[in-house]
């Protein structure tokens, strides 16, 4: 079902650009703050079934082959679009009636997430790796379900003028959530060990603490209000059966988008816009180590300084989208994220220098974060109908992952054949197809109904 009155965005006459004070004030809007705390809740579980779990397993003596296989538990994050129509269409007993269509699913997913992290806490990686894998898979599945709901909630609850700011806040909080569940979790486990608890109990209580932190997102969901667009969609489909709603959500997400003008070109642009980042990012870690930097340098500069640059770039992207049209913001972010790769070419020529590495990492992470915020603002603008926001957004993000997962898989062969300085110059050139598409779409007036200005 696609009802014109449910369309959430329409072409409007662009207003004047906001002042810097207005650009800062948008981050203090209640809706943006809600999205910020939901971002923390979304970022928290990722490492608990990934890198943090791998450290736990290695500490208790699990072999590297088994640990490597645990990368497969992240599969739900790439396949979440398959059950996104259920999130769009199904009404949960008790939860939907008590909290609404989006908030009901959000609270439900978080309750399941707390339970699955608690279950993972009770497992023993040394004695029962299969049970660990099962619990970790449940964590990934419930976490990705939470992501589906949060993405739909963010798109539907924020007006166009707050979408980019909301995404910047979300990205920053997501990164902080990941930091808490990696470095923070290790600090908590170490503290329990220092207090005299044996290692298995320390890990168990460490994970229970992480499960408790999910309640930050639950409290946020309870304090939030149901998006008006979601209420309209729920009322419009009240007479339909659950099966009909699921079918409409799944089919509508495809048909509504594909019937738009220049839909295939837009989808190609979705695949290619972040390709320059993905192509270089695949080889960043081996480049840094190959150049002669230590693992300590990598941890402190690439992860530590890089995180700060990413957070700053995220908020800079929000400011950019507030002051310029979506098309202009895409041009600026697309060009700077491509040119930032030249800082690595310069580093390859400079050699081992901590300050040069910090400068290159800051340039790359800062511009990449700007590109991410603007790009996700664009994806959000494409999801125009609240009947299937969750499904459509999940499909678009899965499509965007094609460049990161598949197209960049040959980056190592290119780097081996060309050497590091030339490789990163090539990373700049791979951005050209996306910029050509951007210009073509702009001339075709693709962005006229997607402007995200105040």
């Amino acid at each position: 079902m696609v009802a014109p009155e449910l369309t959430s965005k329409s072409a409007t006459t662009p207003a004047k650009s906001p002042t810097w004070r207005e650009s800062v004030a948008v981050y203090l809007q209640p809706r943006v703050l809600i999205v910020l705390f939901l971002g923390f809740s979304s970022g928290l579980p990722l490492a608990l079934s990934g890198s943090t779990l791998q450290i736990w397993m290695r500490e208790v003596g699990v072999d590297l082959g088994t640990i490597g296989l645990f990368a497969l538990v992240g599969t739900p994050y790439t396949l979440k679009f398959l059950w996104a129509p259920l999130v769009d269409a199904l009404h949960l007993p008790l939860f939907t009636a008590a909290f609404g269509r989006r908030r009901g699913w959000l609270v439900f997913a978080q309750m399941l997430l707390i339970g699955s992290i608690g279950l993972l806490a009770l497992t023993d990686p040394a004695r029962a790796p299969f049970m660990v894998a099962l619990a970790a898979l449940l964590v990934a599945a419930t976490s990705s379900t939470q992501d589906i709901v949060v993405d739909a909630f963010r798109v539907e609850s924020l007006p166009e003028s707050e979408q980019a700011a909301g995404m910047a806040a979300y990205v920053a909080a997501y990164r902080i959530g990941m930091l808490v569940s990696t470095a923070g979790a290790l600090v908590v486990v170490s503290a329990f060990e220092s207090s005299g608890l044996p290692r298995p109990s320390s890990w168990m209580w460490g994970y229970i603490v992480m499960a408790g932190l999910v309640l930050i997102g639950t409290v946020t969901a309870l304090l939030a209000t149901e998006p008006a667009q979601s209420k309209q969609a729920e009322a419009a489909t009240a007479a339909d059966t659950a099966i009909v709603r699921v079918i409409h959500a799944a089919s509508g997400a495809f048909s509504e988008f594909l019937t738009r003008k220049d839909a295939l070109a837009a989808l190609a642009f979705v695949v290619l816009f972040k390709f320059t980042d993905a192509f270089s990012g695949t080889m960043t870690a081996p480049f840094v180590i190959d150049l002669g930097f230590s693992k300590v340098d990598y941890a402190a500069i690439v992860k530590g300084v890089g995180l700060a640059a990413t957070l700053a770039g995220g908020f800079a992207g929000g400011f950019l989208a507030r002051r310029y049209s979506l098309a202009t913001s895409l041009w600026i972010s697309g060009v700077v994220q491509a040119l930032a790769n030249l800082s690595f070419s310069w580093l390859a020529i400079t050699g081992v220098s901590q300050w040069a590495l910090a400068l290159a990492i800051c340039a790359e992470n800062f511009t990449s974060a700007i590109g991410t915020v603007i790009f996700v603002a664009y994806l959000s603008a494409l999801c125009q109908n609240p009947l299937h926001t969750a499904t459509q957004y999940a499909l678009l993000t899965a499509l965007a992952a094609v460049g990161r997962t598949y197209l960049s898989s040959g980056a190592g062969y290119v780097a081996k054949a060309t050497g590091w300085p030339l490789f990163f110059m090539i990373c700049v050139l791979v951005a050209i197809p996306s910029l050509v598409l951007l210009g073509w779409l702009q001339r075709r007036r693709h962005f006229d109904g997607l402007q995200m200005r105040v």
Side-chain angles (χ1 to χ4, degrees):
M1 177 184 297
V2 180
E5 65 272 15
L6 293 181
T7 299
S8 61
K9 297 176 178 64
S10 60
T12 58
T13 301
K16 65 179 182 179
S17 297
T19 64
W20 284 106
R21 179 176 295 180
E22 291 171 335
S23 295
V24 172
V26 69
Y27 289 97
L28 300 179
Q29 293 297 318
R31 292 179 294 258
V32 175
L33 293 176
I34 290 291
V35 169
L36 183 145
F37 284 106
L38 291 179
F40 174 86
S41 185
S42 289
L44 184 73
L46 184 62
L48 298 179
S49 60
S51 58
T52 301
L53 177 60
Q54 291 171 348
I55 293 173
W56 181 9
M57 296 176 71
R58 192 56 182 161
E59 272 201 349
V60 298
V62 177
D63 68 272
L64 292 176
T66 301
I67 293 174
L69 290 175
F70 267 71
L72 296 174
V73 303
T75 299
Y77 290 103
T78 61
L79 298 180
K80 61 184 179 181
F81 66 89
L82 294 177
W83 64 92
L86 302 180
V87 175
D88 263 330
L90 293 186
H91 297 166
L92 295 171
L94 302 179
F95 287 90
T96 300
F99 306 114
R101 177 169 168 250
R102 296 304 186 198
R103 292 168 66 235
W105 265 101
L106 191 52
V107 173
F108 177 69
Q110 288 167 342
M111 293 296 98
L112 292 180
L113 182 58
I114 291 172
S116 59
I117 296 174
L119 178 63
L120 183 56
L122 298 176
T123 60
D124 186 345
R127 298 182 179 179
F130 176 78
M131 291 303 299
V132 175
L134 180 60
L137 190 63
L138 288 174
V139 171
T142 53
S143 174
S144 56
T145 301
Q146 178 188 230
D147 290 346
I148 293 171
V149 190
V150 170
D151 286 334
F153 182 91
R154 174 181 54 78
V155 171
E156 293 174 356
S157 64
L158 296 177
E160 290 183 356
S161 59
E162 296 176 6
Q163 282 288 343
M167 191 58 212
Y170 175 87
V171 169
Y174 191 98
R175 294 278 185 166
I176 293 172
M178 289 179 61
L179 184 64
V180 168
S181 61
T182 50
L186 297 180
V187 168
V188 171
V189 171
S190 298
F192 280 127
E193 286 184 329
S194 299
S195 69
L197 279 179
R199 177 168 291 173
S201 297
S202 296
W203 276 104
M204 179 190 73
W205 284 108
Y207 264 70
I208 289 175
V209 170
M210 293 298 109
L213 291 178
V214 177
L215 290 172
I216 293 175
T218 307
V219 172
T220 302
L222 295 176
L223 293 175
T225 57
E226 184 72 6
Q229 295 173 28
S230 180
K231 291 180 180 179
Q232 295 171 15
E234 187 174 359
T237 59
D240 295 334
T241 65
I243 294 177
V244 170
R245 290 197 303 270
V246 171
I247 293 173
H248 282 164
S251 61
F254 286 98
S255 60
E256 188 273 334
F257 189 89
L258 292 177
T259 54
R260 298 182 194 177
K261 179 183 177 183
D262 303 320
L264 294 180
L267 292 177
F269 179 69
V270 168
V271 173
L272 294 174
F273 183 73
K274 295 293 289 180
F275 181 37
T276 180
D277 267 357
F279 203 70
S280 62
T282 302
M283 301 308 298
T284 298
F287 163 66
V288 171
I289 299 302
D290 192 40
L291 207 59
F293 290 97
S294 67
K295 290 188 289 293
V296 174
D297 291 331
Y298 180 84
I301 298 175
V302 177
K303 294 301 182 181
V305 177
L307 174 63
T310 298
L311 297 181
F315 286 108
F319 288 137
L320 184 67
R322 288 277 293 175
R323 293 188 64 84
Y324 301 103
S325 69
L326 181 56
T328 301
S329 299
L330 284 167
W331 271 111
I332 295 173
S333 58
V335 170
V336 297
Q337 71 180 6
L339 292 179
N341 288 305
L342 295 177
S343 64
F344 286 131
S345 294
W346 167 73
L347 178 62
I349 297 171
T350 301
V352 178
S353 169
Q354 279 74 22
W355 72 266
L357 175 61
L359 186 61
I361 288 297
C362 283
E364 197 279 333
N365 284 23
F366 182 79
T367 57
S368 176
I370 291 176
T372 296
V373 169
I374 301 302
F375 181 58
V376 176
Y378 169 65
L379 296 184
S380 301
L382 291 176
C383 300
Q384 296 186 348
N385 195 307
L387 289 174
H388 42 65
T389 303
T391 304
Q392 201 166 68
Y393 192 87
L395 284 168
L396 288 172
T397 52
L399 188 62
V402 170
R404 181 179 67 251
T405 306
Y406 301 107
L407 297 183
S408 61
S409 60
Y413 294 103
V414 177
K416 183 178 179 180
T418 62
W420 291 120
L422 183 56
F423 169 74
F424 288 108
M425 292 179 187
I426 292 173
C427 291
V428 178
L429 297 179
V430 299
I432 292 177
S434 68
L435 297 178
V436 170
L437 274 173
L438 176 57
W440 191 82
L441 288 169
Q442 190 174 16
R443 286 195 301 272
R444 299 275 293 178
R445 308 183 71 85
H446 168 71
F447 299 99
D448 283 4
L450 302 176
Q451 300 298 324
M452 298 188 62
R453 300 174 67 177
V454 179

